[in-house]
Amino acid sequence: MFKAQYRKDDNMTTHLGSKRLPQALIVGVKKGGTRAVLEFIRVHPEVRAVGTEPHFFDRHYERGLEWYRSLMPRTLSSQITMEKTPSYFVTKEAPRRIFNMSRDTKLIVVVRNPVTRAISDYTQTLSKKPDIPTFEGLSFQNRSLGLVDTSWNAIRIGMYVVHLQNWLQYFPLSQIHFVSGEKLITDPAGEMGKVQDFLGIKRVITDKHFYFNKTKGFPCLKKTESSTLPRCLGKSKGRTHVQIDPEVIEQLRDFYRPYNIKFYETVGQDFRWE
Ligand code: A3P
C-alpha cells in the first residue's frame, strides 16, 4: 500500500512539494479586510498560504529567512506561497527587507475608509482592554483646535499615502495591488477577480464561491480550502463598532481628506471615502 513519506528536512522536495519563500504578501492594512482576502484567495488551487501572521519582516527578522521559510506550507512549483501580516504596511524597514528577499515580490494592500478603519481598530483594542480612554479622547492632541494626534497608531495607520511613500522607494506601483475593503464586502467576487489577475492566476474564485450570510451580515464562502462546508470569518471580523460622536467623525474626515486625495492620485484609483 502507498505510504506517504514525510521528511524532516524542510529543504527536501517530496511528492507534497517543498517549502518556498512567499512570492506574494498581503502587507496591510490592519482592519482593512486582510483576513477575508487571505481566506478567499487560499481557496484557489494555485495558492497556498500560512494561516497565522508570521510577523517576520517586523518582529522576527533576526530569525532569518530559513526560519521564515520553515513556516511556509509545502507547494508545487506551479503554486504561489502567500502570507499576510498587516503591520508590514506601517513598518519602516519592511519594504527594504522584502525587497532584499526578492525584488519580484507581489504586494497586496487592502485599504478601507481610514475613519472607519480607526474606529474598527479602536473597537478591537477596547474588546481586549476595556479600561482605555475614549476614542474621542485618544484622537486629539487638542480637540477644540482640531489638532489630531497622529502619534496614535489607530490614526497613523490610516495615513496611507505617507506609508506608501516608503514602499515606492523599493517597489514600482505595478507590483502593488490595492483592494477596496468596501467593495470586498459588497462585491467579493469582483475584488477577488482583480486579485487573481494581479497574481497572474486563472479566475477560479467567482460569484459561485460566495453567499451573503444574513445573520453575519457579510459575504461568506460556500466552501473552503480544507472543507466542503460553508464558512464565515470568525466573530472578531465584522464587529459592531463603538458609537462615536458625529462631530469627531467629521473632524477626522477633514483630517484625512488631503491624505486620501494624495493617495488616490498616487495609486491612480479613487476609493470614494467621503
Ligand atoms: P470590522 O470588524 O470592523 O467590521 P482584518 O481582517 O484586516 O482585521 O479586517 C477586519 C475587517 O474585515 C472587518 O472589520 C470587516 O469589516 C472586514 N471584512 C471584509 N470582508 C469580510 C467578510 N466577508 N466577513 C467578515 N468581515 C469582513
Side-chain angles (χ1 to χ4, degrees):
M1 207 172 81
F2 176 77
K3 206 173 166 197
Q5 273 200 340
Y6 295 95
R7 307 200 184 169
K8 276 184 193 152
D9 191 340
D10 289 334
N11 287 318
M12 291 291 201
T13 302
T14 69
H15 66 284
L16 298 168
S18 54
K19 295 186 173 214
R20 291 166 231 269
L21 289 169
Q23 297 88 38
L25 299 172
I26 300 172
V27 295
V29 301
K30 184 185 180 194
K31 304 321 288 174
T34 55
R35 176 55 62 187
V37 173
L38 190 77
E39 294 309 310
F40 297 166
I41 198 63
R42 72 194 298 191
V43 172
H44 199 296
E46 282 165 52
V47 174
R48 285 294 169 265
V50 189
T52 54
E53 296 176 7
H55 282 280
F56 175 62
F57 296 106
D58 57 342
R59 293 185 202 152
H60 303 303
Y61 194 61
E62 69 297 337
R63 296 192 187 189
L65 278 172
E66 277 312 299
W67 173 83
Y68 186 45
R69 196 158 66 86
S70 74
L71 306 179
M72 298 298 146
R74 288 184 182 279
T75 53
L76 305 170
S77 57
S78 58
Q79 290 175 315
I80 300 174
T81 303
M82 287 186 73
E83 66 113 327
K84 79 116 174 164
T85 305
S87 48
Y88 291 163
F89 190 65
V90 297
T91 301
K92 187 90 209 319
E93 303 79 15
R96 177 176 44 82
R97 289 171 173 178
I98 294 169
F99 180 89
N100 286 341
M101 172 182 73
S102 167
R103 60 185 299 154
D104 297 325
T105 311
K106 291 187 176 181
L107 308 167
I108 295 173
V109 191
V110 192
V111 286
R112 178 184 189 185
N113 184 327
V115 181
T116 327
R117 197 218 69 80
I119 300 170
S120 170
D121 199 337
Y122 175 80
T123 304
Q124 171 166 292
T125 310
L126 193 69
S127 74
K128 293 177 193 159
K129 298 180 197 159
D131 297 332
I132 56 168
T134 62
F135 180 88
E136 291 82 349
L138 290 165
S139 294
F140 297 96
Q141 273 175 11
N142 185 324
R143 190 172 163 186
S144 44
L145 291 178
L147 205 58
V148 171
D149 189 350
T150 55
S151 70
W152 186 31
N153 248 330
I155 296 289
R156 198 177 67 89
I157 293 172
M159 298 157 72
Y160 302 141
V161 72
V162 173
H163 308 293
L164 180 61
Q165 297 305 337
N166 291 331
W167 292 86
L168 294 176
Q169 306 289 314
Y170 292 90
F171 294 96
L173 258 187
S174 56
Q175 237 166 288
I176 313 176
H177 179 72
F178 298 91
V179 174
S180 157
E182 285 82 15
K183 284 197 200 149
L184 184 65
I185 297 169
T186 55
D187 179 19
E191 279 308 285
M192 293 313 293
K194 288 186 265 177
V195 170
Q196 292 167 89
D197 293 349
F198 172 70
L199 294 175
I201 54 181
K202 217 176 132 207
R203 284 195 175 207
V204 168
I205 302 159
T206 63
D207 267 335
K208 294 188 190 73
H209 285 80
F210 301 98
Y211 74 100
F212 188 83
N213 185 304
K214 280 194 190 137
T215 320
K216 174 88 182 162
F218 282 90
C220 299
L221 282 169
K222 285 187 188 161
K223 57 184 173 102
T224 59
E225 180 196 352
S226 53
S227 155
T228 52
L229 296 173
R231 210 181 68 134
C232 295
L233 299 190
K235 278 199 179 71
S236 68
K237 306 296 176 185
R239 285 193 184 98
T240 307
H241 290 178
V242 199
Q243 287 274 350
I244 306 297
D245 181 344
E247 199 184 295
V248 167
I249 292 187
E250 205 43 54
Q251 282 175 291
L252 290 182
R253 277 202 192 124
D254 292 344
F255 165 77
Y256 278 119
R257 192 166 298 112
Y259 293 99
N260 289 345
I261 293 171
K262 190 85 198 297
F263 179 65
Y264 302 161
E265 284 169 3
T266 310
V267 305
Q269 224 173 313
D270 185 345
F271 290 90
R272 302 183 175 279
W273 294 318
E274 263 313 309

